[in-house]
Amino acid sequence: MNNIKIDNQYKYRNFWIALVTLLLVISGVANIIISISHVPIFLQKFSNYYGNLFHHSIQIYSLLHRVVGFILILISYRLYKRMELAWIIVIVTISVSIALKLIRLHEFFSPIMFIEIFIMLVLIYYRDEFRRKSDNTSVKKAIIIGSGSILLMIIVSSIGFFAMNKEYRGLRTFYDAIIQSVKILFFMDVTTVSVSKIGERYLDMTILFNWIFVVCALFYILKPVVYDPIIKTKDRERVARLVSLYGENPMSYLAMEEDKKYFFGKSVDGVIAFAVVNDVATVCGDMICSDEDGGALLAEFMEFCRENHYSILFLNTTNRFMEIYKLMGFGSTKYGEDACFLLSEYNLAGGSVAKVRAAINHANKNGITVCEYRPNIKRDKDIEKEIQEVSDEWLQQKKGGELSFMMGSIGFDKPRDRRYFVARNANGKMLGFVVFNPYNSKKAYLAEVTRRRKDAPQGVMEKLIYDGFMALKEDGVIWGSMGLVPLANVKEDGDDTFTAKIFDYVYENLNQLYGFKTLHHAKKKYAPTDWQSRYIVYYPKTFTMNMAYAIVKVQNPKGLKGYAIDILKEKFKS
């Protein structure tokens, strides 16, 4: 009940801040309209209506109104993103706007003024929501750009005015030119009368370039901090320890890959491995902690994400923490199924595994053998070079390049508990390899990296997988896994949500972009003893397009654009 209450409060805060952002844009537009000196013909009717409605006339070149309007519009998005500096700038700017209406224009009953007062009250009430910091490096750049541009513009415009003093009245000396530059840059005072079109154009260009510099500086100031901590060796060792203790998700081992950031529990012993994509904190697998600490770790992570205005997306989760996710207000959708093998029961008998059995028999007849390479016992640079050559050849054949985040690496820099199996032909040439990653305290292993040569004969990969599983079985490993089949049977659990329908449609109709069905059939032929459901879990509870983009982008560094280009290249080749 408390979590539902917190979730509702979060929705209310989002609603009010979204409303204030919209009103801020309206206020900015209104201030700009007030400042318009010459209204275009198609707006004259509107401007007259505006003047009659709000009982005041549109002021000619009202400088401060114009500045206020532009600032409010420019800064509205960053305010919505909970930027602390944006909150400060808006409070100051709105105060100036209200003061203008009360003192300069005497608009005591202007609806825009009351809107701005309402904005002020809401922002002050929700002050604690705006805690997202600006990037210190960007703030320094903004100061440099701002001060440097002001000095440069004063010098350049002063030289220009003095060189063209015949185009203006009242400019006799270089001192007059400097004074005029300061008036224009700081006050946009264009009272100096130009006597030619050239003079007018130079005034306009001077003001335009000055505002370009101002806007650039403003964007730098409001650039949010990207959570990118310096990850030390002891942090990775800490993650390795936690994975060894609590990593029951097949994805847990990937927490030690270089593309992850870490959120460590403050009050509990646990970690969440994630990356930030477009303000979505995208998590690899489940939380890595004990069952009893899951709620506390998730609450701390949610608070961290609220401070930074991140949505939360867990990818490829199991059922382990599902009740906690739901209690904390998360939504969930089935994301696919893992092909899992209870090794004590798995063998090549029966019709369901006939294709794999035939492929392995073919490999055996061709003299293909499988052996394990143990880099932790004895490193062999020649073997590792061969494995890398096979990997490079395999990657050249892929349309979308190498995936990341939810896919592991070969990991020769730190093999840890990985298991490496390689296949060779009768002449000793390496044909393929499989890297198995441990999970669930090494009671289970995932066939994480599976690669073979282009000209490898039939049965190489089947023999690698099966022989690898049997070797693990002999060492007491209970479960083997061939990993996720994305979007497989997403509606099987009775999920009739819009998200599930979209996933099901993609699975059934968009196999040209990614071979979901092909992958499903390839793993199904091994006859897994279990198909274990995997989920995406997200907060807020509504799945958004931003989250969908994060799923693609976090796994494919090239993004949708790069992936589409690769596919088009393949089409043209064929």
Side-chain angles (χ1 to χ4, degrees), residues 347-493:
N347 56 58
L348 294 179
S352 60
V353 75
K355 290 182 179 179
V356 172
R357 184 172 60 248
I360 292 176
N361 288 336
H362 183 270
N364 291 334
K365 290 178 182 178
N366 281 276
I368 295 171
T369 58
V370 171
C371 63
E372 183 173 3
Y373 169 54
R374 296 177 179 269
N376 284 325
I377 297 176
K378 183 180 179 181
R379 297 295 292 264
D380 189 322
K381 295 297 181 182
D382 291 333
I383 293 178
E384 292 179 10
K385 183 180 179 181
E386 287 182 282
I387 289 175
Q388 192 60 54
E389 286 175 355
V390 173
S391 179
D392 292 341
E393 182 181 314
W394 181 84
L395 287 172
Q396 289 177 1
Q397 302 172 54
K398 283 185 64 66
K399 292 182 287 186
E402 186 172 18
L403 298 179
S404 61
F405 195 74
M406 302 300 290
M407 295 291 291
S409 61
I410 297 173
F412 283 139
D413 54 337
K414 289 185 179 180
R416 297 186 187 274
D417 297 312
R418 292 181 177 93
R419 303 284 294 268
Y420 299 82
F421 292 86
V422 299
R424 297 183 183 275
N425 64 14
N427 297 322
K429 179 182 178 181
M430 188 178 293
L431 301 174
F433 68 91
V434 176
V435 181
F436 288 88
N437 284 353
Y439 64 99
N440 200 9
S441 301
K442 293 192 285 187
K443 296 176 184 176
Y445 271 81
L446 165 68
E448 179 61 38
V449 184
T450 58
R451 294 173 187 177
R452 64 182 180 86
R453 291 191 184 276
K454 185 178 181 180
D455 60 351
Q458 179 189 4
V460 168
M461 195 52 62
E462 288 86 349
K463 185 170 177 60
L464 271 166
I465 295 291
Y466 182 76
D467 285 9
F469 278 162
M470 293 303 101
L472 293 170
K473 175 184 174 181
E474 290 179 6
D475 291 341
V477 175
I478 299 173
W479 285 96
S481 172
M482 290 186 66
L484 179 73
V485 179
L487 310 188
N489 299 318
V490 292
K491 295 180 71 176
E492 193 177 71
D493 294 348

Side-chain angles (χ1 to χ4, degrees), residues 35 45 50 131 146 156 193 219-220 252 285 313 324 337 348 351 358 375 405-406 445 450 476 480 483 520 556:
S35 72
K45 183 177 180 181
Y50 182 90
R131 291 182 285 180
V156 171
V193 179
F219 276 116
Y220 269 115
S252 298
L313 175 66
I324 294 175
E337 294 182 340
L348 294 179
F405 195 74
M406 302 300 290
Y445 271 81
T450 58
H520 193 188
N556 190 337

Side-chain angles (χ1 to χ4, degrees), residues 394-404 407 451 512-515 552-571 573:
W394 181 84
L395 287 172
Q396 289 177 1
Q397 302 172 54
K398 283 185 64 66
K399 292 182 287 186
E402 186 172 18
L403 298 179
S404 61
M407 295 291 291
R451 294 173 187 177
Q512 285 184 326
L513 292 178
Y514 188 91
V552 176
K553 179 63 177 176
V554 77
Q555 298 180 83
N556 190 337
K558 294 182 179 181
L560 286 171
K561 181 180 178 181
Y563 189 68
I565 290 173
D566 287 333
I567 290 175
L568 288 174
K569 286 180 180 178
E570 290 295 321
K571 291 290 184 184
K573 284 180 182 179

Side-chain angles (χ1 to χ4, degrees), residues 35-316:
S35 72
I36 294 175
S37 57
H38 298 289
V39 183
I41 294 175
F42 70 91
L43 285 179
Q44 284 181 0
K45 183 177 180 181
F46 172 78
S47 65
N48 292 333
Y49 172 76
Y50 182 90
N52 293 331
L53 181 63
F54 297 132
H55 308 293
H56 63 76
S57 60
I58 297 176
Q59 303 298 309
I60 298 176
Y61 283 103
S62 181
L63 163 68
L64 290 176
H65 269 302
R66 195 177 313 156
V67 173
V68 164
F70 277 116
I71 289 177
L72 293 181
I73 292 173
L74 286 172
I75 212 169
S76 58
Y77 178 74
R78 291 302 183 189
L79 183 78
Y80 179 72
K81 290 297 182 181
R82 311 303 202 271
M83 295 291 298
E84 186 177 44
L85 267 178
W87 184 91
I88 294 171
I89 292 172
V90 168
I91 291 294
V92 172
T93 307
I94 287 287
S95 299
V96 171
S97 182
I98 293 173
L100 281 173
K101 292 175 178 61
L102 290 174
I103 300 171
R104 187 169 180 238
L105 301 178
H106 306 289
E107 296 168 339
F108 295 105
F109 300 102
S110 166
I112 295 300
M113 186 190 73
F114 288 113
I115 287 175
E116 291 173 344
I117 292 173
F118 174 77
I119 292 172
M120 285 271 287
L121 293 175
V122 173
L123 291 181
I124 291 171
Y125 183 79
Y126 286 115
R127 171 67 185 92
D128 290 339
E129 285 292 304
F130 300 89
R131 291 182 285 180
R132 197 173 182 185
K133 302 294 183 182
S134 294
D135 182 71
N136 289 332
T137 302
S138 294
V139 172
K140 291 176 183 177
K141 287 181 180 179
I143 294 172
I144 293 172
I145 289 174
S147 58
S149 65
I150 289 172
L151 181 61
L152 180 64
M153 288 300 298
I154 289 176
I155 293 172
V156 171
S157 59
S158 297
I159 293 173
F161 283 129
F162 183 70
M164 297 191 300
N165 60 3
K166 293 181 180 179
E167 310 296 333
Y168 304 97
R169 294 175 186 172
L171 292 183
R172 299 183 182 86
T173 65
F174 189 70
Y175 176 77
D176 294 334
I178 294 175
I179 296 299
Q180 182 57 39
S181 296
V182 172
K183 286 182 179 180
I184 288 176
L185 297 179
F186 288 97
F187 306 105
M188 283 198 289
D189 183 354
V190 292
T191 53
T192 297
V193 179
S194 59
V195 296
S196 68
K197 289 291 183 182
I198 296 176
E200 290 180 2
R201 294 289 179 268
Y202 187 75
L203 280 174
D204 293 339
M205 291 302 294
T206 301
I207 293 173
L208 174 63
F209 278 108
N210 182 59
W211 271 101
I212 289 174
F213 283 121
V214 169
V215 170
C216 288
L218 192 62
F219 276 116
Y220 269 115
I221 287 175
L222 296 173
K223 183 178 179 181
V225 169
V226 177
Y227 182 74
D228 193 15
I230 298 173
I231 298 174
K232 302 176 183 178
T233 302
K234 66 177 183 179
D235 292 328
R236 295 203 184 278
E237 293 303 320
R238 184 181 177 185
V239 172
R241 177 182 64 82
L242 290 167
V243 168
S244 177
L245 288 172
Y246 308 120
E248 296 184 14
N249 188 305
M251 297 290 101
S252 298
Y253 207 75
L254 300 184
M256 291 179 282
E257 296 284 342
E258 298 290 332
D259 57 355
K260 308 297 188 299
K261 298 178 175 64
Y262 302 128
F263 179 86
F264 291 103
K266 297 176 183 178
S267 62
V268 296
D269 193 28
V271 67
I272 293 175
F274 71 104
V276 178
V277 180
N278 213 23
D279 287 340
V280 178
T282 309
V283 182
C284 178
D286 284 302
M287 300 177 287
I288 301 173
C289 63
S290 65
D291 292 350
E292 57 269 23
D293 288 338
L297 181 60
L298 184 59
E300 289 180 7
F301 186 64
M302 291 176 70
E303 181 59 26
F304 162 77
C305 290
R306 282 196 187 104
E307 288 182 6
N308 290 279
H309 196 58
Y310 294 152
S311 301
I312 304 174
L313 175 66
F314 284 84
L315 284 179
N316 207 356

